[in-house]
Amino acid sequence: MDQTRPLADTPRGYGLVSRALHWGMALLFVWQFTSAILSVFAEDTAIEGFFWGTHYSVGFTLWVLVLLRGAWGLANLRRRPAHEGPPLQARAAAAGHLALYALMIVVPTLAILRAAGNGRGLTVYGLQLVAPGGEPNPALTAPANLAHGFLGWTLLVLIAGHVAMALHHGLVRRDGTLTRMTRGSDARPLPAA
């Protein structure tokens, strides 16, 4: 195996698996938020119907991928690159990532619970995961009705902040943070422990 492009993370950069999950999910989030934005600003149009028709399937896919990504991240936790910058900034970055992961899990989980509890069922990529029928269950639907949309838009704001900070690290600070997620390694020497 090529040691310059490892599958697992290293202190110098993110491995191929982490980068593939990160950028693949980024593309799916662009698609997912496009469907949500079109449902607000272009409701009942052909393009909105096309994108919205994929909303549940893409959301379910993102839910599965974030669970896999979280498990992979925990398995690589001791090998991952440290956050750049002063201690307060590094703690803020860690808190921001934790909030992103929490919302990436909670937002689709709420939608899945709503689908399970509203009686309409849940179909993903044409496969019936939750059968339709039965009486609606407010204990499952109420939390999603209350929070799914708000938390979804909150997730979009956090993602925008994440992108802004990544660009700040890459274009202003030039500290290697962005390089570790794009190319997988940072050529600069590691700081002394």
Side-chain angles (χ1 to χ4, degrees), residues 49-176:
F50 170 76
F51 275 93
W52 191 256
T54 66
H55 192 80
Y56 293 104
S57 294
V58 171
F60 185 82
T61 302
L62 283 165
W63 182 72
V64 170
L65 289 175
V66 77
L67 294 176
L68 290 173
R69 187 174 172 188
W72 180 258
L74 289 173
N76 282 270
L77 191 59
R78 298 210 184 274
R79 293 189 298 264
R80 298 191 108 181
H83 291 290
E84 292 279 346
L88 181 61
Q89 186 177 9
R91 283 193 296 276
H97 283 102
L98 184 62
L100 280 168
Y101 274 94
L103 287 175
M104 287 189 294
I105 292 169
V106 168
V107 171
T109 298
L110 288 171
I112 291 167
L113 289 174
R114 178 171 51 199
N118 67 13
R120 291 189 304 246
L122 175 64
T123 301
V124 175
Y125 299 112
L127 299 172
Q128 189 75 48
L129 298 182
V130 177
E135 291 296 315
N137 182 342
L140 293 177
T141 58
N145 290 338
L146 179 67
H148 177 76
F150 173 76
L151 292 178
W153 295 119
T154 302
L155 177 58
L156 178 59
V157 169
L158 283 178
I159 290 171
H162 177 73
V163 170
M165 288 308 299
L167 292 173
H168 175 74
H169 277 282
L171 302 174
V172 176
R173 293 190 61 189
R174 299 177 191 260
D175 62 12

